[in-house]
Amino acid sequence: MQDLNTRATTTYLKGIAITGVVVGHTLFHYVPGSLSKTAGLENCMVAIFFVLSGFGIYHSLEKSLSHSEGKKRALAVYFKNRAWRIYPLFWLSLFLTPFFVQQFVGWHDFSPGLVIKYLGFAPFIDEYPKPADFMWFIHALIPCYLLAPILYLLLKYLRPAKFLAVNLLFMLLFGFLSIWVLGHTGVLPVQTFVYRSFIFGNIFLFAIGMSISPLFSILKHVFRNRLQGYLLVGLSLVLFTGSLRYSRTQDILFANSGTYLAPIFFISVFILCLTVIALNPILPFRSLFSFFGTHSYSIYLFHIPFWGLLSSLGIVYSFSQTSDAQAGNVPMTLLLLLPFFAFCALLDAMQNRSGDIFRNWRNLMGAYPSKLVPQEINADEENLIQGDKSS
């Protein structure tokens, strides 16, 4: 199922998600009072990334672990490729951000907590060590990557329908646990393992994302009728929009209703991604959002430092300033987005180029007799590389 059309659709969805994240943060700078109206939008859009990350990682593991030999080495290559994808740009953002955003200047103070933060394992608690603030998503995604091989084997053992049912069962159990903890402490302490006030919410989203491709083989007859498929996409979009709104803290219907509604929100994200991927509909502004999706990771990591740079230059004013002053700078900011996107594309190109050089060196070494670099390992690595490019 992971063909070129599917990759284009998932890239488009990532573009939509990163647009929501950037818009949510941008309104913080421009519109007085908008924070109460839009807060949580960017956080909700991140859910799409969890699901699509699970979808892509499933294909990476399917191409490597489905072979009868070389599983240990394939796992080593999987973790190496994940680390290469995450850490270089993550470290660069951690290093550059304090130069442009004053509130993060402490990130340059060397400490054991800083080392943990740079590894992406900061537990995101109010006590030491502190998280990387707006980059909390990285801290929440790394446990998903670490658990992915286990989730993959469990998915293969249970089959997709049972795997999804088990996920929903545990989601129900942890939903009650989340509500109980909130009721007794008023806070969920370890935020790395909490999403939308829901314990292990990030992992549940990632896991159900892994089940999309196997489920499609069971449900593909549903999408043969294009009209029926578009109707499902429309209904899933309505469900997603409604659950997105009423799971936000600002729009709770009653105490802790955001946590009660989180499972509905998770399921709506899953259904939306499943139906759009399966139907592969004609999507508006495809080239634009596909570009955003292709570079979504670098845009995510560097858009806050970008706003900080514009603020230091007096181009962007905080929401405490007058709306007239902010509105006057909107055209200049939009103009400066062009070099920012070019910068993100350049970073991605440099990282991809560096990875290609490293892989070519490994392939060259494999051309010589060596016990350290056997030929079959290179084949496994190539399978993983192709899978990672699709994710």
Side-chain angles (χ1 to χ4, degrees), residues 94 207 306 351:
L94 281 174
F306 174 68
Q351 186 183 31

Side-chain angles (χ1 to χ4, degrees), residues 11 14-23 25-26 49 85 89-90 93 97 134-135 137-138 288-307 337-348 351:
T11 301
K14 290 178 182 178
I16 292 290
I18 194 61
T19 300
V21 171
V22 173
V23 167
H25 288 157
T26 304
F49 284 109
R85 174 59 179 152
L89 294 183
F90 177 55
S93 181
T97 298
F134 66 92
M135 287 185 280
F137 172 70
I138 309 302
L288 177 64
F289 287 114
S290 293
F291 175 84
F292 293 159
T294 300
H295 305 293
S296 57
Y297 184 57
S298 55
I299 292 173
Y300 173 79
L301 289 177
F302 294 99
H303 74 282
I304 294 295
F306 174 68
W307 296 131
L337 281 175
L338 297 178
F340 169 69
F341 291 140
F343 169 75
C344 293
L346 177 62
L347 285 178
D348 287 333
Q351 186 183 31

Side-chain angles (χ1 to χ4, degrees), residues 64 67 69-71 73-74 77 362-363 366 370-384:
S64 57
H67 300 291
E69 299 179 357
K71 285 186 172 59
R73 294 200 179 265
V77 173
R362 288 292 301 272
N363 290 335
S370 172
K371 295 182 179 179
L372 296 177
V373 192
Q375 291 295 324
E376 62 268 24
I377 297 176
N378 291 327
D380 286 339
E381 184 169 347
E382 180 62 27
N383 285 333
L384 263 176

Side-chain angles (χ1 to χ4, degrees), residues 266-318:
F266 294 166
I267 293 171
S268 73
V269 177
F270 165 71
I271 295 175
L272 178 65
C273 292
L274 171 65
T275 53
V276 173
I277 291 173
L279 185 63
N280 189 29
I282 299 174
L283 299 167
F285 305 105
R286 188 150 198 163
S287 297
L288 177 64
F289 287 114
S290 293
F291 175 84
F292 293 159
T294 300
H295 305 293
S296 57
Y297 184 57
S298 55
I299 292 173
Y300 173 79
L301 289 177
F302 294 99
H303 74 282
I304 294 295
F306 174 68
W307 296 131
L309 173 62
L310 296 186
S311 180
S312 65
L313 295 175
I315 297 174
V316 174
Y317 297 96
S318 69

